[in-house]
Structure formats: structure tokens, C-alpha cells
Amino acid sequence: MSIRRLLIANRGEIALRIHRAAHEMGIETVAVHSTADAEAMHVRLADHAVCIGPPAARDSYLNVAAIISAAEITQADAIHPGYGFLSENAKFAEIVEAHDITWIGPKPEHIRTMGDKVEAKRTAGALGLPLVPGSDGAVSEIGEARRIAAEIGYPVIIKAASGGGGRGMKVCTGPDEFETLIQQAGSEAKAAFGDATVYIEKYLGNPRHIEFQIFGDGKGKAIHLGERDCSLQRRHQKVLEEAPSPVISNNDRNHMGGIVAKAMADMGYRGAGTIEFLWEDGKFYFIEMNTRLQVEHPVTEAITGVDLVREQIRIADGLPLSVTQDDIEFKGHAIECRINAEDPWNFTPSPGAVTNYHAAGGMHVRVDSGLYAGYKIPPYYDSMIAKLIVYGRTREGCIMRLKRALEEMVIEGPKTSIPLHQALLKEPDFLSGDYTIKWLEEWLANRIG
Ligand code: ADP
């Protein structure tokens, strides 16, 4: 291992997660933080800490010059970007590499390709992944767009090539509203992302969100670590994730996993990645690829026993994958609850002082969080404050243990989404695994309405 000191360009639980993997590998860590995060747990635990700017993310966690300077001052020889912030910024990856610092992430050209949704879809199609039927690339001329929409069949979804985070999408139910919607989509995309490019896809009525974790060594070898089911979403934000998916058979996992691993091997992909699919009536449809670690990665770790962050660091260091496809065994079941500092029913953020904190424990219970009693949750960032990940030999056993663990969690001060998870775990549809990406919002609407 040639990496000796790793700078973590992130905050919160993921900064802690990366710190832990690094220390377990004998690597020193450098925390960077905004003035609002001076008292954060990742700053306390890291070997070195550098303040990189004021609270607003654009001045600190997105401040490339300040982060590179921090790496140079502390003589860090590697940077891990975590998720969000600069993790999918190809330019940042190039700047890191240009400074002779090891970038713990995919090759910049792959980040760039997959960050453009039209390019990503074209690449995925060329690599043999099944696509949602739609336009072959961007659409610009209205007559042609109309013809394509009619050919695909309504409803269709108009998507911005540069969209992300669930934004820049419009569902169109019929030809009458098509022209208005496509024009709106283009001008909104231009305003929000600086790029008016849009494309058209068949709108799937009631799919599940199923994603595959993959790993490549950058030299033509790649493996998959099975799927995660992330269908429980609100406003396209994941709330609870599980692995394996209750609806994917061993055969389907091995088959689709083999296809995605081969695609990544052919591409020469390096590091961790996630291939996202919509799944309906037993068929997979590629929607996008995330070229980074995901929030929900621990459920995959729980059922495979592979430390994904350790693997990322090893690959960035030029080492081979530590496991082969044949070594990967899927054992048991894991569920992650994202715990947010917010009102569990109306989702208003609830930052502020944590007066009391006690994390759940016991066999097969993992809490990834930077919380401690006396910590003040700053109002400037994402509201996720903890992840509770529970493993069981069976899905039923996992759910029983998860209920027990949620009862034990104490977070006093802010409101949290714990009551939402507790209510969810009582729902017959959840217990039977019978839910799609629409389910949670409909359930919430019925509870409130
Ligand atoms: P983003 O990058 O903004 O997350 P995605 O392409 O991953 O965009 O889509 C986000 C979500 O939008 C999906 O998880 C799904 O809920 C919905 N969605 C996207 N494409 C379709 C489609 N063709 N049909 C139905 N729902 C879709």
C-alpha cells in the first residue's frame, strides 16, 4: 500500500465511514471542514483537520482550490470524495490527478460519460444493457420528437440530459400536451442545468428501483456484488433500502449481475459503481449509472462481507480486486433505514442541538453516524444524521431485529424520521415485500388524507 495519508473531501457519516476504513488499513486521515462543522465527529477523529471555508457548501465542500491546498499543506497523497459534493465531478478528479494525488474514484472520462444521461444511455446500450425504450439520444426538432413519442406510446417521460437528483423530468400522458411540455422541459433544463438538451423515454407505470453494485479494477476485470432494492422513495429520495431485493431470484441476479459485470469489464471501469435499473414485470431497464459510493452501500457489505471502502482504496492504489466473482456469496438479508433530522410526517427539517444520544447495538446491528450528545446539527446540509443497518439470516429475522434496534435508538432534541420507519415496518405490503417506487408516497398521502 503506497497511500499513507488520505484526505476526506466530505462530512457527516460518510466522512466517518471513510476514516474508519483508512485507519483499519493503517492510513492516516485528514478531515476538511466548514466553520459550521468545527465540532463534527469526523474532525475530532481524523489525524489532521483543515478548515476550508464558511458554511455554504459552494465555499467549502465544493471549494476545489481550498481542498487541493489542504491536501498540499497536509501532504495528503490521496483524496476520497465520498458521495454528493465533488464525487461525480470529472474536472475535480482531473485536478486531483494533475496534482499527483491519488483519486479514489473512477477514471475521469467515465465520470464524465455517465454524468451526461444521453451519453450514459448510449454507452450502456452499446455495452449490452437493456434500456427503457425511447429516443436514440437527444431530441431537438418538435416534429421528430412527436413522431418518436407516438412510436414509443404514451405516457412518455421527457428528461434533461444534465438532470439529476430527481429533477428535470416531465411526464406526458398524451399528444395534446406534448408540445407544451417538451418546450417547458427544455427551458427549465436550460435554467437549472445550463443545458437545454432533452430526451424521451417510455414512462413505466409502476416499477421497482433495483440497482447493482459493481467494482472494476480499471484493467479489464470487474465483478458484481448483487442488487439493492431502493423502491421506497419520497420525491425520488430513497428512504429505506434492502439487499437482496424481495423479488429478484438467484437466477435473475446471476444473469443480470453477469451482464453488468461484463459491461464494466469491457469498459475498463475502475472502482465502485452502481448501475440503476427500473424493474417491471420481470424485466430490467437501465436508467443511469452512479460513478461513486452510494449511501446504501452497507446493505451490500452486510450480505457479502466485502468492505467496499477498503476495496475502493485498494483499487485506487493499483492493487487487484481482493475477491473474485466466485468468492462472492450472498448470505442472509440486510435493511438500512435512513434517519433524518426532520418531522417524520411533514418532512420539515429539524436541525439544532442533540441533547441526548444513544445508538442501538447488539448482534448484527450497525449505526453509521457522526452524532453525539451535545452535537449541534447545522442547518446548511443534508438532513440525514444516521444510518441504521441491520442484518438477519432471513428477511423476517432482519425485520424483527430492525424493530428492536429502532426501539433502542435515542436521539433527543431534533425530530427524526424514526417514527416513520417504525410505522413502515408494520405495513403488510412492506412485510410481504410487495411495493414499488409509487408505494411510499401513496401510503403517506393516505395517512395524511
Ligand atoms: P436522477 O438522476 O434525477 O435521479 P433517474 O434517471 O435516476 O434521475 O430517475 C430518478 C427516478 O425517476 C427513478 O428512480 C424513478 O422513480 C423515476 N423515473 C425515471 N425514469 C423513469 C421512467 N422511464 N418511467 C418511470 N419512472 C421513471
Side-chain angles (χ1 to χ4, degrees):
M1 176 66 52
S2 61
I3 297 172
R4 291 173 183 280
R5 189 173 289 166
L6 191 170
L7 183 144
I8 303 163
N10 215 299
R11 63 179 303 281
E13 68 84 20
I14 198 62
L16 214 55
R17 169 71 188 88
I18 297 160
H19 165 84
R20 286 171 172 154
H23 265 208
E24 288 171 16
M25 299 171 84
I27 298 170
E28 282 187 25
T29 55
V30 178
V32 293
H33 64 90
S34 70
T35 50
D37 277 340
E39 302 298 325
M41 187 61 96
H42 76 280
V43 176
R44 291 182 168 198
L45 288 182
D47 300 293
H48 309 272
V50 182
C51 181
I52 48 165
R58 67 172 178 280
D59 300 322
S60 50
Y61 297 104
L62 294 171
N63 184 340
V64 172
I67 294 169
I68 299 288
S69 303
E72 300 221 301
I73 291 163
T74 57
Q75 296 180 320
D77 46 23
I79 294 186
H80 193 309
Y83 52 67
F85 295 128
L86 294 167
S87 61
E88 288 176 290
N89 184 319
K91 188 80 198 151
F92 179 61
E94 281 164 356
I95 293 171
V96 170
E97 291 186 337
H99 282 78
D100 274 333
I101 299 170
T102 301
W103 165 247
I104 303 180
K107 297 172 188 168
E109 72 256 32
H110 290 158
I111 301 178
R112 188 167 282 125
T113 303
M114 293 303 172
D116 177 321
K117 295 179 144 207
V118 168
E119 272 309 304
K121 229 181 141 176
R122 183 174 295 141
T123 307
L127 289 167
L129 301 183
L131 307 177
V132 189
S135 56
D136 183 20
V139 290
S140 44
E141 202 273 310
I142 181 72
E144 187 213 355
R146 244 182 204 295
R147 187 183 55 72
I148 294 168
E151 219 172 85
I152 304 167
Y154 291 94
V156 297
I157 182 165
I158 305 164
K159 290 186 171 182
S162 305
R167 297 184 312 136
M169 291 182 278
K170 288 208 181 293
V171 178
C172 173
T173 53
D176 292 349
E177 49 177 21
F178 184 75
E179 192 158 346
T180 318
L181 285 177
I182 200 155
Q183 271 157 5
Q184 261 179 24
S187 48
E188 282 177 25
K190 178 83 188 154
F193 314 109
D195 172 11
T197 312
V198 295
Y199 63 105
I200 310 173
E201 248 172 27
K202 175 92 191 148
Y203 181 71
L204 302 177
N206 210 3
R208 295 178 79 112
H209 174 116
I210 310 266
E211 57 182 37
F212 276 82
Q213 176 70 53
I214 59 89
F215 250 101
D217 70 355
K219 299 167 190 156
K221 284 210 184 80
I223 58 168
H224 76 89
L225 291 102
E227 83 286 0
R228 295 182 284 258
D229 197 316
C230 313
S231 303
L232 289 174
Q233 302 180 358
R234 178 180 165 268
R235 300 201 175 153
H236 304 307
Q237 300 274 358
K238 298 162 188 169
V239 171
L240 175 155
E241 305 96 341
E242 56 183 319
S245 165
V247 299
I248 301 298
S249 67
N250 290 341
N251 269 346
D252 284 355
R253 172 174 316 109
N254 293 337
H255 179 69
M256 191 38 87
I259 293 175
V260 297
K262 177 166 187 310
M264 291 301 110
D266 290 349
M267 194 178 174
Y269 188 79
R270 181 181 75 203
T274 298
I275 318 275
E276 296 190 340
F277 293 98
L278 295 177
W279 183 91
E280 197 173 55
D281 299 331
K283 289 203 187 82
F284 288 94
Y285 303 93
F286 171 86
I287 43 171
E288 68 165 348
M289 174 170 185
N290 293 320
T291 51
R292 56 169 166 82
L293 190 68
Q294 305 267 115
V295 174
E296 58 274 21
H297 76 276
V299 292
T300 300
E301 299 186 319
I303 65 159
T304 61
V306 178
D307 179 333
L308 298 184
V309 179
R310 185 186 183 93
E311 206 62 33
Q312 284 188 301
I313 297 172
R314 282 176 49 93
I315 290 168
D317 205 47
L319 295 171
L321 290 162
S322 70
V323 283
T324 65
Q325 192 67 59
D326 289 342
D327 294 333
I328 306 288
E329 270 186 74
F330 302 102
K331 275 205 193 128
H333 199 93
I335 300 180
E336 171 181 278
C337 292
R338 296 190 187 200
I339 299 175
N340 295 344
E342 65 190 16
D343 183 292
W345 305 114
N346 69 20
F347 305 97
T348 319
S350 179
V354 176
T355 50
N356 200 2
Y357 176 70
H358 175 79
M363 190 166 171
H364 296 322
V365 174
R366 166 175 172 182
V367 178
D368 279 17
S369 172
L371 287 188
Y372 57 86
Y375 175 67
K376 284 198 187 65
I377 301 165
Y380 312 103
Y381 313 107
D382 192 90
S383 62
M384 194 181 75
I385 48 169
K387 303 190 309 204
L388 171 63
I389 306 104
V390 167
Y391 174 83
R393 287 215 315 228
T394 60
R395 187 170 186 267
E396 294 69 32
C398 179
I399 292 171
M400 289 302 286
R401 181 168 288 133
L402 184 53
K403 286 183 176 165
R404 186 276 287 169
L406 282 167
E407 279 165 17
E408 275 179 35
M409 288 291 299
V410 176
I411 304 174
E412 281 171 10
K415 291 182 188 170
T416 79
S417 44
I418 290 175
L420 170 81
H421 288 295
Q422 288 177 312
L424 206 49
L425 294 186
K426 291 189 187 133
E427 280 301 317
D429 287 345
F430 177 75
L431 297 176
S432 63
D434 185 16
Y435 58 82
T436 66
I437 58 171
K438 299 256 174 87
W439 188 89
L440 184 63
E441 291 201 356
E442 282 168 11
W443 177 69
L444 286 167
N446 287 336
R447 274 185 72 95
I448 293 156

